[in-house]
Amino acid sequence: MKPAVILYKKLPDDLYARLAEQCDVTEISDLSPESQQQHAAVFQQAEGLLGSGGKVNGELLAKMPNLRVCSSVSVGYDNFDVDALNQRHVVLMHTPTVLTETVADTMMALVLSTARRVPELDAWVKAGNWQKSIGPAQFGIDVHHKTLGILGMGRIGMALAQRAHFGFGMKILYNARREHEEAQSRFGAQRCELEALLKQSDFVCISLPLTEETHHLIGAAELELMKPDAVLINAGRGPVVDEQALIAALQAGKLHAAGLDVFEQEPVSADSPLLSLPNVVTLPHIGSATHETRYGMMQDAVENLIAALGGSVEKNCVNPQALK
Ligand SMILES: NC(=O)C1=CN([C@@H]2O[C@H](COP(=O)(O)OP(=O)(O)OC[C@H]3O[C@@H](n4cnc5c(N)ncnc54)[C@H](OP(=O)(O)O)[C@@H]3O)[C@@H](O)[C@H]2O)C=CC1
Ligand SMILES: O=CC(=O)O
């Protein structure tokens, strides 16, 4: 008999067919309490769960006594209670690597668009304001040969460093829990304490996961350490930055600009002051959102689920120890 699987994300037809060939699939819209109530019997039976977004915690696991594998269409897994999964011997699969280069492209886009004020000046031109030669009021700041500080020198941090160093001649600083020798040898990247990185960087780029340690890692005190003409880029998770502190720092002119792909609350509230500050570039969490990469992530998530349901967790598993 095929294992019962809940799918809470739309898949392209070919990937749906591949999943359905191996699993007995029930599609639902999301993991909301209403959905859990409406499909209680399906949750009760399911051995696998595939999708993205939504909290998977002890409360949900209690409704899924047969669950063996969760497969997330994301690399970040802060919405999963991994301790609760481990206790229940449920393995969690995710999609690192396939999205790395695309997310690094997005971060570089935020670096360039904040420095050169691309969205702001685009709106200015389209509003008919370009009536004579531009002057200092339209100038930006250079990116090339500046110092880029990376918080979280993992897969995405490395791909960003590659672009910044080889493409833009930038000096690379980083903060991570351990030394990354490859970053040193490939990009001459220097590992720094957080305080030194914040003081020295022209661009501070966050590619950190959200954990208890990284929650509000960047608050008022940290923003105060940054140069007044520095730019903060966050494509990790919103709550790594204390958003109220960031708003206050931007309003007080303590930073040159911010580029944000992630927010404390998503979608960001329409009345957030971040949306009316001209020096803030906002994106709707599109780090990995290209047709090619999103397809690749869904494909990996399907294969990860099938492999893990068959007992194979060599690749893309967050908690292989849960199988023991
Ligand atoms: N905006 C978007 O659309 C996307 C956002 N993301 C976010 O990016 C994150 C990173 O992805 P990826 O690069 O693949 O992950 P990795 O696991 O490869 O890298 C994470 C890095 O963060 C470092 N780190 C973790 N905790 C701390 C800490 N407390 N202090 C300092 N450094 C720390 C790790 O350090 P060490 O090396 O020392 O272990 C590691 O270098 C994801 O978890 C997700 O939240 C990912 C994809 C898309
Ligand atoms: O935010 C996206 C992810 O893959 O993590």
Side-chain angles (χ1 to χ4, degrees), residues 295-312:
Y295 181 88
M297 289 165 68
M298 290 186 278
Q299 187 170 38
D300 280 5
V302 167
E303 295 306 330
N304 289 341
L305 181 74
I306 293 170
L309 284 170
S312 165

Side-chain angles (χ1 to χ4, degrees), residues 237-307:
R237 284 290 183 266
V240 173
V241 176
D242 177 343
E243 212 163 271
Q244 290 311 314
L246 175 62
I247 291 167
L250 287 161
Q251 286 173 335
K254 289 182 180 168
L255 290 180
H256 179 73
L260 306 172
D261 185 42
V262 290
F263 299 84
E264 288 217 63
Q265 180 201 311
E266 294 182 6
V268 65
S269 164
D271 60 6
S272 168
L274 290 169
L275 305 190
S276 47
L277 287 163
N279 55 344
V280 178
V281 177
T282 54
L283 293 176
H285 200 144
I286 55 142
S288 62
T290 63
H291 291 291
E292 301 93 322
T293 295
R294 283 294 169 88
Y295 181 88
M297 289 165 68
M298 290 186 278
Q299 187 170 38
D300 280 5
V302 167
E303 295 306 330
N304 289 341
L305 181 74
I306 293 170

Side-chain angles (χ1 to χ4, degrees), residues 5-23 25-29 49-52 71-74 95 293-306:
V5 160
I6 292 180
L7 173 66
Y8 58 106
K9 184 174 187 69
K10 274 262 162 279
L11 293 180
D13 291 346
D14 59 331
L15 296 183
Y16 184 92
R18 165 74 179 140
L19 185 64
E21 177 191 290
Q22 301 289 325
C23 307
V25 184
T26 304
E27 261 190 290
I28 63 169
S29 57
L49 192 58
L50 191 157
S52 64
S71 180
S72 184
V73 189
S74 68
T95 61
T293 295
R294 283 294 169 88
Y295 181 88
M297 289 165 68
M298 290 186 278
Q299 187 170 38
D300 280 5
V302 167
E303 295 306 330
N304 289 341
L305 181 74
I306 293 170

Side-chain angles (χ1 to χ4, degrees), residues 116-135 137-139:
R116 301 300 303 274
R117 303 167 55 191
V118 173
E120 182 193 351
L121 293 175
D122 171 64
W124 183 82
V125 173
K126 287 174 180 167
N129 291 313
W130 190 19
Q131 302 294 340
K132 55 184 171 67
S133 295
I134 59 112
Q138 286 77 42
F139 291 176

